[in-house]
Amino acid sequence: MTRYEQLAQSLRRQIQNQIWLPGDKLPSLRESCRQSGLSLMTVLQAYQLLESQGLVVARPQSGYYVAPDPAPLPDSSRTLHPSEQVGINDAIFDILQAAKDPAIVPFGSAFPDATLFPQPRLARSLASAVRRMSPFSAVANLPPGNEDLRRSIAQRYAQQGMEVAPDDIVITSGAMESLGLSLQAVTEPGDWVAIESPAFYGVLQAIERRQLKAVAIPTDVQTGIDLAALADALARYPIRACWFMSNFQNPLGASMPRDKKQRLVAMLAEHGVALIEDDVYHELYFGTERPAPLRAFDPQGSTVLHCASFSKSLAPGFRVGWVAAGPHAARIQRLQLMSTLSASVPTQLALADYLHQSGYEAHLRRLRRQLELRQVAMYRGIQQAFPEEVSISRPQGGYFLWLTLGKGRDARTLYRQALARGISIAPGHMFTAGDQFRDCIRLNSSFVWDARHQQAIETLGALVRGL
Ligand SMILES: Cc1ncc(COP(=O)(O)O)c(C=O)c1O
């Protein structure tokens, strides 16, 4: 949190605790500078932030006063974290690098176990696609991307009861590109965007790149974002877009219940706020029923831009993703043409070929079963090796476990100690632009439960006890 945000937060608390009542004159800028030791500019920014939130009013030549009817304050259990500047901690890069080293147990990695995918079958599709590729295919597959592939994706939407036309879909280089382009399509630099807290670090990076301001909405480990806190945020900030995951959220593994998804989409449609849905883990459900995306509650596709990819379910290295962008599809195509031009053509053709054959569903059934068995094994291993007070999430899909170690146990220290013993973990501070989640870690449960991984969990458990 920046210094002026800290000052604004402390003034906000004072108003909340009725130290200052509606109509009271707040300390002058000069007085505040003297008391806090901050510069005039920093103090002014704090007062302006409170003004933009409807908590104080400026009276020319007189100063700042508590608003006669200050906007209701959120209760402290769902405090919003506004952040005018999202700066990504440098640690993320180091943490991702460490996850690449094969000598290191990659519990901190975001990638699923590479051996879970039908490599030989994909290799055949890739070889056949390259053999059949026409010299004109680079041009033919410019945005929105390969038509066969878009039609196969549209058919999968139709199987879930969603009408998405192939022309509403833009193929991208993984979901990362579809999410970034969607954000670019619906915001201008300086706009406010609501994100989850904790959030996938890719969100924080995209927001930083686009120079947006973020409001972090508290997110429950089981049911996802707090809708009341989101309603508060919509009332206080001119939010242009939201970036949320409704299924197997990264890093918590949270999934929103159906009725919550419906209420969320209705709330955003009413406010005219675009919803960028990151749904990269949608195929990795353990139950019998495929969870609906938020897009299912937006039949016209006018609110939700649904972003997904094959990276987590079929072909991690192929870098093929898409966005079902509805009315935004044309703008997204133009933005793609002006940036990366198009997704790689051979991998698009290979996936179009693969999806035409039967086999994807059988692969997905095997993959889900393996991920569930591995999650159970790792969950039990953690229960046995870690102190009892450590809480462990139990997602119904995906491959992340979120652990809260308990106050006073610093995940960064654990990260350093674990890395020295050849184990990577993802410490909680990777998932926030603020300073929360210091006692949390995310572990990747997609790896086979063998002696090496069991030993690594036991080592982590011992390190946690020693913290
Ligand atoms: C939540 C989330 N969104 C998006 C991505 C990026 O997906 P892709 O590899 O398809 O670009 C990831 C990858 O880790 C992710 O975890």
Side-chain angles (χ1 to χ4, degrees), residues 112-127 310-311 313-318 347 350-351 354 363 366:
D113 178 352
T115 63
L116 289 166
F117 299 97
Q119 201 59 34
R121 185 61 202 76
L122 287 168
R124 279 208 301 281
S125 281
L126 189 55
F310 294 102
S311 306
S313 57
L314 178 63
F318 278 38
T347 52
L351 289 181
Y354 178 90
H363 156 69
R366 268 195 308 275

Side-chain angles (χ1 to χ4, degrees), residues 110 173-176 179 200 245 250 278 280-281 309 311-312 319:
S173 295
M176 217 49 250
L179 290 158
F200 165 51
M245 301 185 71
N250 180 2
D278 180 350
V280 288
Y281 299 102
S309 74
S311 306
K312 313 292 178 185
R319 308 298 309 136

Side-chain angles (χ1 to χ4, degrees), residues 99-404:
K100 274 169 44 181
D101 182 344
I104 289 180
V105 176
F107 290 154
S109 167
F111 286 87
D113 178 352
T115 63
L116 289 166
F117 299 97
Q119 201 59 34
R121 185 61 202 76
L122 287 168
R124 279 208 301 281
S125 281
L126 189 55
S128 138
V130 173
R131 255 196 322 273
R132 287 185 287 118
M133 209 167 113
S134 104
F136 306 104
S137 63
V139 175
N141 292 293
L142 283 173
N146 180 263
E147 193 178 341
D148 283 347
L149 181 58
R150 285 185 291 116
R151 183 160 301 103
S152 288
I153 293 169
Q155 286 164 3
R156 295 186 71 78
Y157 279 114
Q159 283 158 11
Q160 292 178 71
M162 283 174 274
E163 274 182 33
V164 176
D167 286 348
D168 286 345
I169 295 172
V170 183
I171 305 292
T172 55
S173 295
M176 217 49 250
E177 189 186 21
S178 62
L179 290 158
L181 292 174
S182 299
L183 193 64
Q184 213 181 333
V186 298
T187 60
E188 295 297 332
D191 281 346
W192 285 92
V193 177
I195 61 172
E196 293 151 343
S197 173
F200 165 51
Y201 44 76
V203 179
L204 306 172
Q205 286 158 342
I207 286 191
E208 184 189 19
R209 235 184 357 257
R210 183 116 180 99
Q211 297 176 333
L212 297 164
K213 299 172 197 163
V215 193
I217 309 291
T219 303
D220 179 74
V221 69
Q222 282 178 15
T223 62
I225 59 147
D226 178 338
L227 283 192
L230 177 63
D232 269 351
L234 289 167
R236 282 150 170 265
Y237 302 93
I239 290 174
R240 288 291 293 274
C242 298
W243 176 328
F244 295 146
M245 301 185 71
S246 71
N247 298 315
F248 320 124
Q249 193 257 6
N250 180 2
L252 297 175
S255 288
M256 290 184 199
R258 242 185 113 78
D259 69 311
K260 187 168 179 180
K261 291 177 178 170
Q262 198 160 12
R263 280 184 287 136
L264 169 61
V265 175
M267 186 192 292
L268 295 180
E270 195 184 306
H271 282 82
V273 171
L275 171 50
I276 299 166
E277 178 175 19
D278 180 350
D279 205 17
V280 288
Y281 299 102
H282 68 291
E283 293 287 8
L284 309 184
Y285 55 94
F286 300 159
T288 48
E289 252 182 68
R290 182 190 297 273
L294 296 167
R295 174 66 177 75
F297 302 97
D298 177 32
Q300 310 303 322
S302 45
T303 298
V304 181
L305 294 92
H306 184 249
C307 301
S309 74
F310 294 102
S311 306
K312 313 292 178 185
S313 57
L314 178 63
F318 278 38
R319 308 298 309 136
V320 176
W322 71 90
V323 51
H328 302 284
R331 177 153 165 72
I332 287 180
Q333 286 182 50
R334 276 202 298 278
L335 291 170
Q336 192 183 32
L337 272 169
M338 289 188 291
S339 51
T340 56
L341 201 60
S342 80
S344 149
V345 174
T347 52
Q348 289 189 64
L349 298 177
L351 289 181
D353 178 89
Y354 178 90
L355 294 176
H356 268 299
Q357 326 284 330
S358 60
Y360 189 32
E361 286 308 324
H363 156 69
L364 286 174
R365 277 195 298 276
R366 268 195 308 275
L367 176 64
R368 291 174 193 134
R369 182 90 191 112
Q370 292 276 25
L371 289 177
E372 185 176 8
L373 290 172
R374 291 177 181 193
Q375 188 209 68
V376 171
M378 191 189 232
Y379 183 89
R380 291 207 183 119
I382 296 169
Q383 266 185 326
Q384 281 163 18
F386 281 55
E388 213 177 320
E389 65 274 16
V390 170
S391 77
I392 319 164
S393 67
R394 198 68 194 270
Q396 290 309 297
Y399 50 85
F400 294 129
L401 293 177
W402 180 254
L403 278 63
T404 307

Side-chain angles (χ1 to χ4, degrees), residues 7-8 10-16 18-33 35 43-44 46-51 54-59 62-68 70:
L7 176 61
S10 122
L11 284 166
R12 200 179 299 123
R13 258 197 316 267
Q14 292 171 17
I15 296 172
Q16 188 171 24
Q18 305 197 335
I19 294 171
W20 306 105
L21 293 173
D24 276 355
K25 186 172 189 302
L26 289 172
S28 71
L29 296 179
R30 256 172 232 299
E31 237 177 301
S32 260
C33 291
Q35 273 168 14
V43 173
L44 182 64
Y47 278 56
Q48 284 174 339
L49 177 61
L50 293 173
E51 190 182 19
L55 285 168
V56 307
V57 287
R59 291 203 197 132
S62 175
Y64 283 90
Y65 292 77
V66 180

